[in-house]
Amino acid sequence: MTRRDAVIYRPYEDRDAEGVMAIINDAFHIHRYTRRRYLERSALEVYLDECLQGSSYARVAVLDGKVVGVMMGRVRGEPLLPGRVRRRVRITAARAWLLTVGLPQWRTLRFFFSFERTYEELREDVRQAGTWALSDEVTLFAVHTVARGRGVGTHLYRGLMSHLREHGRTELFLYTDELCTYRFYERAGLVRAAERSLDLEVPGLPKAVGVYLYAGPAPGA
């Protein structure tokens, strides 16, 4: 492609980390949980490393040389992305650092980590209901504000659906919350399989936020 406004889609590479962290910050408001720049950076690195750690699939959308969209997923039985040992060391060190250096802001930071506990509760709710297998997961999906309305999210989503079908998979699930564009998933045919409310005391965010687990079929081409 030679047009300046053409979006290029390709596999994630290590050099994309800065761009993807910018997308994460834009989409998931990480800066709200960490009012110090050095804490924000570390929290973003942890978030990205944990997404990569649990993924077997990762692609990005690039516009004018900048990463503007990202899709990661895990297909059970497929090999996870390389670099797991290196990332695990980084995650452990960064979390320990946040717990110590970030103590003055721990009341706010703990809400950032509370989402993980809520995700586990949602997963258990669905397991007990026995409605979905919860095997193949969208681990990270976001498009930066500057690129929305261009069909970037739809293209990335369809790419993962095609990948799932190639591996004979028929279902997927993901976690999201009411601060995100969760209605995209409803339009894509997913259903809200479980939901919980998470109380927050984070400046600039609601006092409570709905956290959801969506699940559904991987649609045909």
Side-chain angles (χ1 to χ4, degrees):
M1 295 181 178
T2 57
R3 286 172 40 231
R4 181 174 175 78
D5 61 348
V7 180
I8 298 171
Y9 299 89
R10 58 167 174 76
Y12 172 88
E13 301 173 4
D14 287 344
R15 63 187 170 118
D16 299 322
E18 292 295 330
V20 172
M21 285 191 288
I23 295 171
I24 291 170
N25 208 5
D26 175 70
F28 305 136
H29 317 282
I30 305 302
H31 58 282
R32 300 285 189 186
Y33 302 90
T34 57
R35 289 172 289 171
R36 297 290 185 272
R37 178 61 182 167
Y38 60 91
L39 295 176
E40 175 186 315
R41 172 74 186 192
S42 188
L44 285 167
E45 289 174 346
V46 168
Y47 196 114
L48 175 57
D49 274 337
E50 290 188 335
C51 289
L52 289 165
Q53 191 78 344
S55 300
S56 61
Y57 173 98
R59 292 186 67 83
V60 295
V62 181
L63 175 65
D64 295 339
K66 296 181 179 179
V67 178
V68 295
V70 58
M71 168 65 85
M72 296 185 189
R74 184 185 72 249
V75 179
R76 182 161 294 183
E78 289 302 301
L80 295 173
L81 297 173
R84 286 178 54 77
V85 174
R86 168 171 46 89
R87 282 193 298 271
R88 175 51 57 194
V89 170
R90 282 207 308 253
I91 290 169
T92 301
R95 279 180 171 264
W97 186 83
L98 280 169
L99 287 171
T100 54
V101 180
L103 277 176
Q105 290 192 75
W106 178 239
R107 186 178 180 184
T108 303
L109 273 171
R110 69 185 175 90
F111 293 111
F112 171 71
F113 293 112
S114 292
F115 278 89
E116 295 177 4
R117 183 181 67 251
T118 305
Y119 293 159
E120 282 302 314
E121 293 170 351
L122 289 169
R123 182 189 282 264
E124 185 58 29
D125 291 344
V126 176
R127 281 177 179 152
Q128 291 186 11
T131 49
W132 299 98
L134 300 186
S135 59
D136 303 314
E137 180 183 1
V138 175
T139 51
L140 175 61
F141 179 32
V143 176
H144 199 284
T145 305
V146 299
R148 291 177 189 165
R150 293 174 173 265
V152 172
T154 298
H155 190 102
L156 287 168
Y157 187 81
R158 288 176 177 170
L160 178 59
M161 296 307 101
S162 177
H163 181 76
L164 289 172
R165 292 193 302 272
E166 288 172 1
H167 289 81
R169 317 304 292 188
T170 58
E171 289 183 9
L172 69 148
F173 78 98
L174 57 92
Y175 304 107
T176 187
D177 60 69
E178 65 178 284
L179 301 178
C180 302
T181 53
Y182 62 89
R183 296 197 185 280
F184 175 94
Y185 304 115
E186 296 174 355
R187 294 193 295 271
L190 303 186
V191 298
R192 190 179 300 175
E195 62 181 290
R196 287 183 176 252
S197 180
L198 177 63
D199 294 330
L200 296 178
E201 295 179 24
V202 180
L205 294 180
K207 294 296 183 182
V209 61
V211 185
Y212 314 130
L213 187 154
Y214 275 85

